[in-house]
Amino acid sequence: MTNPAEIFERDLYAICKSSAELYVSQYERCRFVFPDGQQCTMRPANGAGHDRHRSQNEQIEPGAFVPSRPWHPGNSKGDWIRDIQRRFIQSYQDIFIPPDPHHHIATVEQRLSGRREWIHLTYHDKWKMIKSNKTCLSCLQEIPDHVLTCGHSYCPRCVQELGHVSPHFECAWNIHCWLCYEEKGRNSHLVQLKPRCSGVRILALDGGGVRGIVELLVLQALHKAVGLEPLPLKSLFDLIVGTSTGKHQE
């Protein structure tokens, strides 16, 4: 699985950096306090240059904006972002890396491989009630492409990590839903993935009335040339589209 530090650098660092800059430039609170103890309510974006302080009860005093955080070399926005990164890595490891009660020395990859017996078994009663077609709930990293009959979706990486290679089909894995853990062993699903070096295979069937017979003959010749005649021709394509006569041939 991907190292959490790499995930942060690739997907989150730029977002955190721009968010920190936006917060400091527009939303950070002024640290100035009025004699009665009320804090200035002005933000950097409230006025040009923040040339005055204002309290909640409309007290006004002249003065420049005073950042609530003293941004000096020892407390820079970069350090702020790195602290977020540290917390992200720790949270990721708490979720996906099972504890090692025997204190065995193991690599992150070795400990991650045990997560299916840890996180999914421990929290399956909660995960089984949550479903998403935008985020793979097994890794919280990728978009899920493969939906099981229970409604949970998995990304190709998790299919390969949590499933077992099919002995009967090429580039296919048998997997049960680890998010519905109590069904383990009862419902196995066959998931076929696109071979690593393959492209997208699309069959487009034109219309033309009786001329559609020509397409049938071409497809018959193609099926014979491939040499996998027991396998249905439709299994050789990822997408089949047609119009008019071609639509009926689908």
Side-chain angles (χ1 to χ4, degrees):
M1 292 189 62
T2 306
N3 186 295
E6 295 177 356
I7 297 174
F8 187 90
E9 291 292 338
R10 182 190 67 215
D11 300 329
L12 301 176
Y13 177 80
I15 296 175
C16 290
K17 183 175 183 294
S18 62
S19 299
E21 292 173 350
L22 177 64
Y23 171 80
V24 171
S25 64
Q26 297 189 34
Y27 300 104
E28 186 171 21
R29 296 190 65 178
C30 179
R31 198 171 65 213
F32 179 83
V33 178
F34 288 86
D36 63 355
Q38 294 195 54
Q39 188 172 358
C40 175
T41 60
M42 297 288 286
R43 301 288 196 273
N46 291 150
H50 186 289
D51 57 355
R52 64 189 183 279
H53 302 291
R54 176 183 295 169
S55 70
Q56 190 171 3
N57 61 3
E58 298 300 326
Q59 297 180 79
I60 301 292
E61 282 199 24
F65 178 79
V66 183
S68 59
R69 291 175 176 80
W71 298 111
H72 52 75
N75 184 23
S76 66
K77 290 185 281 293
D79 294 331
W80 194 14
I81 296 172
R82 291 305 169 189
D83 184 59
I84 296 175
Q85 180 187 37
R86 179 185 61 78
R87 293 169 183 267
F88 170 80
I89 293 174
Q90 184 61 54
S91 297
Y92 185 98
Q93 293 177 340
D94 289 343
I95 292 176
F96 291 115
I97 302 180
D100 185 359
H102 303 294
H103 304 289
H104 292 156
I105 298 175
T107 64
V108 171
E109 289 74 15
Q110 289 172 331
R111 295 183 66 191
L112 282 175
S113 66
R115 71 186 175 95
R116 54 185 174 186
E117 296 293 345
W118 161 244
I119 185 66
H120 296 132
L121 175 60
T122 305
Y123 301 108
H124 74 89
D125 58 331
K126 297 179 178 62
W127 286 119
K128 69 180 181 180
M129 302 175 64
I130 306 173
K131 298 176 182 178
S132 172
N133 60 359
K134 294 183 178 180
T135 303
C136 176
L137 298 178
S138 181
C139 65
L140 304 179
Q141 299 177 35
E142 305 290 343
I143 297 176
D145 298 322
H146 306 282
V147 184
L148 306 186
T149 56
C150 62
H152 285 117
S153 306
Y154 290 82
C155 68
R157 179 185 298 169
C158 285
V159 168
Q160 295 176 69
E161 179 181 342
L162 300 175
H164 301 281
V165 176
S166 171
H168 306 294
F169 297 91
E170 182 180 3
C171 200
W173 277 258
N174 291 313
I175 180 175
H176 65 264
C177 185
W178 289 89
L179 301 175
C180 300
Y181 196 88
E182 72 276 11
E183 296 184 6
K184 180 180 179 182
R186 286 190 286 168
N187 295 310
S188 180
H189 309 270
L190 178 69
V191 176
Q192 290 185 289
L193 303 180
K194 187 176 68 173
R196 180 177 299 177
C197 298
S198 70
V200 179
R201 302 165 298 179
I202 300 176
L203 174 63
L205 301 171
D206 296 333
V210 71
R211 287 178 294 178
I213 297 177
V214 177
E215 287 182 327
L216 293 176
L217 294 176
V218 171
L219 293 176
Q220 186 179 41
L222 176 63
H223 198 189
K224 185 175 181 180
V226 171
L228 298 175
E229 294 187 10
L231 186 69
L233 184 63
K234 64 180 182 181
S235 300
L236 305 180
F237 298 95
D238 299 305
L239 176 65
I240 301 176
V241 295
T243 181
S244 189
T245 304
K247 180 68 175 177
H248 292 287
Q249 292 179 21
E250 291 183 47

